[in-house]
């Protein structure tokens, strides 16, 4: 029962972190649906492309959990911090490459999803999606940092406060900003993605600070 309790205490807050993040992105889909069909289509293209690159960061996040957890088991916090920094740096470098791809090919990538039949709807969707991809480029970096920070925190078995950080970043800040910018300003779908960006920026900063603070306390 002690083991079951420990597994539950680690698993439940981790599940909440995931729920807040997924809920955050689903809210964006709803908001774009309210704005209009072409905005919804452009949002889906941007979301699909960013989800593809996010999988790399998600893999590194799992690696962070395993490597950090291993060093925690050995009580070797100096190497734990060094390993974590290296995973953060690898993630940032990879995400920068993806960001550059999104910036340079923002006009071409939406055509992977649409046929150029000359219809005004298709052309508008492509124009909207290519604008969104510029925001996606920035978003990449913070999305990578926050998911790796979540993984590293899981490795040191710190999950309760991070789930509160995720709630604050995505639900308290991200969603209202997204709704306001998307529905009440001229930014529309771009506003939704600025909302995503701000939510992820806050999460990546707070989660990283939390992780390195915990490391430094243990090293001392």
């Amino acid at each position: 029962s002690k083991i079951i309790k420990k597994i539950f205490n680690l698993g439940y807050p981790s599940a909440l972190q995931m729920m807040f993040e997924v809920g955050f992105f689903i809210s964006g889909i709803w908001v774009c649906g309210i704005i209009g069909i072409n905005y919804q289509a452009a949002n889906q293209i941007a979301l699909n492309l960013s989800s593809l690159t996010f999988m790399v960061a998600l893999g590194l996040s799992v690696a962070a959990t395993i490597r950090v957890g291993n060093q925690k088991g050995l009580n070797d916090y100096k190497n734990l911090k060094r390993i974590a920094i290296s995973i953060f740096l690898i993630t940032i470098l990879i995400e920068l490459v993806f960001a550059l791809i999104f910036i340079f090919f923002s006009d071409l990538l939406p055509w992977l999803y649409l046929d150029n039949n000359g219809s005004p709807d298709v052309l508008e969707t492509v124009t909207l999606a290519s604008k969104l991809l510029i925001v996606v480029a920035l978003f990449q970096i913070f999305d990578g940092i926050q998911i790796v920070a979540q993984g590293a925190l899981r490795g040191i078995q710190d999950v309760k406060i991070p789930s509160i950080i995720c709630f604050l970043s995505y639900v308290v800040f991200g969603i209202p900003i997204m709704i306001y910018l998307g529905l009440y300003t001229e930014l529309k779908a771009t506003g939704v993605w600025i909302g995503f960006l701000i939510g992820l920026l806050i999460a990546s900063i707070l989660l990283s600070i939390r992780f390195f603070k915990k490391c430094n306390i243990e090293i001392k």
Side-chain angles (χ1 to χ4, degrees):
S1 70
K2 216 176 178 184
I3 293 169
I4 291 169
K5 196 178 170 192
K6 197 167 187 190
I7 291 168
F8 183 79
N9 285 341
L10 273 174
Y12 185 67
S14 300
L16 283 178
Q17 291 169 22
M18 207 59 108
M19 187 182 84
F20 296 140
E21 195 174 342
V22 172
F24 182 40
F25 285 99
I26 289 171
S27 308
I29 295 170
W30 283 338
V31 175
C32 286
I34 294 166
I35 299 167
I37 300 166
N38 295 345
Y39 290 95
Q40 173 72 294
N43 177 61
Q44 283 303 119
I45 291 171
L47 208 50
N48 195 279
L49 286 165
S50 64
S51 299
L52 279 173
T53 55
F54 174 71
M55 289 303 136
V56 177
L58 191 60
L60 287 164
S61 167
V62 175
T65 304
I66 296 164
R67 295 285 283 127
V68 165
N70 194 21
Q71 295 305 315
K72 181 183 161 64
L74 296 168
N75 245 338
D76 181 1
Y77 279 88
K78 273 214 167 107
N79 276 326
L80 183 152
K81 190 178 172 185
R82 182 181 58 80
I83 287 164
I85 290 169
S86 68
I87 297 174
F88 273 99
L89 287 174
I90 291 167
T91 307
I92 291 166
L93 284 172
I94 292 170
E95 297 297 350
L96 277 170
V97 172
F98 288 142
L100 291 171
I101 291 169
F102 284 137
I103 290 167
F104 287 123
F105 298 105
S106 63
D107 296 334
L108 294 174
L109 289 168
W111 289 113
L112 295 171
Y113 297 83
L114 296 159
D115 282 331
N116 191 358
N117 59 9
S119 93
D121 277 343
V122 168
L123 295 172
E124 190 193 5
T125 302
V126 168
T127 308
L128 291 168
S130 61
K131 272 189 200 158
L132 292 183
L133 288 178
I134 303 296
V135 187
V136 171
L138 271 175
F139 158 108
Q140 284 302 303
I141 298 154
F142 300 118
D143 202 12
I145 294 169
Q146 66 86 24
I147 196 72
V148 168
Q150 277 187 45
L153 283 160
R154 251 169 243 152
I156 56 170
Q157 298 181 7
D158 181 30
V159 285
K160 288 197 171 119
I161 303 289
S163 63
I164 295 167
I165 290 173
C166 288
F167 177 75
L168 283 172
S169 306
Y170 305 137
V171 182
V172 177
F173 289 105
I175 292 175
I177 290 169
M178 174 207 307
I179 291 170
Y180 174 72
L181 293 177
L183 298 180
Y184 300 101
T185 72
E186 286 304 301
L187 289 165
K188 297 188 172 164
T190 311
V192 171
W193 278 80
I194 291 168
F196 285 154
L197 179 66
I198 292 169
L200 290 166
L201 171 67
I202 295 167
S204 61
I205 292 168
L206 294 179
L207 291 166
S208 302
I209 289 171
R210 170 92 184 157
F211 175 73
F212 287 110
K213 247 190 170 164
K214 295 280 280 187
C215 280
N216 293 336
I217 288 166
E218 293 294 340
I219 288 167
K220 274 176 189 166

